[in-house]
Amino acid sequence: MRRVSISYISRIFAIFALSICIYSFFISDKTEINTQAIYWFCIALVSAVVPYLEEVVAYIQSIKLGDIEIALKEVRKEIQRVDDRVEKLDEKLLISLGQVRQGEANLSKEARENRQRVYDESAQALALLPPESRINLQKRLTLNHLSDTGIDVKTLKEILGDLGYYRNPI
């Protein structure tokens, strides 16, 4: 359905552009309009070809740019592999987010206020520390926060590794 409607619209636009091109080129005597006629002809040609690009691209095996040759079949495989990987990561992330939301929903108002108080105190303490001590304290606080919210550090490292943000062994 989508291809038919694009094809239909493209053909109408091609006829429209071609008619403007013919009028501009053969009927009008102004030079600037003749130049525009060439542009309209190009637009008409492109709009007539667009619906068939998918079929044409299917026959192209590779593209060569200077000294670099790109095999389109390999590019398609890599795109599919990345799409599959992203889909799996999305599923893992949604599961983890669901666990975090569930944990958050189970917190009482007192626990939330306590968490905010601890956060504020930690932020003030971090601001006063030298950089190396600050990093060490941030690591400890992050680990404590993760364990408090029920997120396993190993799972977090796996998700970050899958996303390309964590490269160390898990």
Side-chain angles (χ1 to χ4, degrees), residues 18-37:
L18 193 58
S19 61
I20 291 177
C21 170
I22 291 170
Y23 170 78
S24 301
F25 201 66
F26 294 109
I27 298 175
S28 177
D29 57 348
K30 294 183 180 178
T31 310
E32 21 184 84
I33 291 181
N34 290 341
T35 306
Q36 288 180 359

Side-chain angles (χ1 to χ4, degrees), residues 17 48 55 66 85 104 132 146 151-152:
E55 287 90 16
R85 191 171 164 203
E104 185 70 22
E132 191 171 314
L146 288 174
I151 297 175
D152 181 42

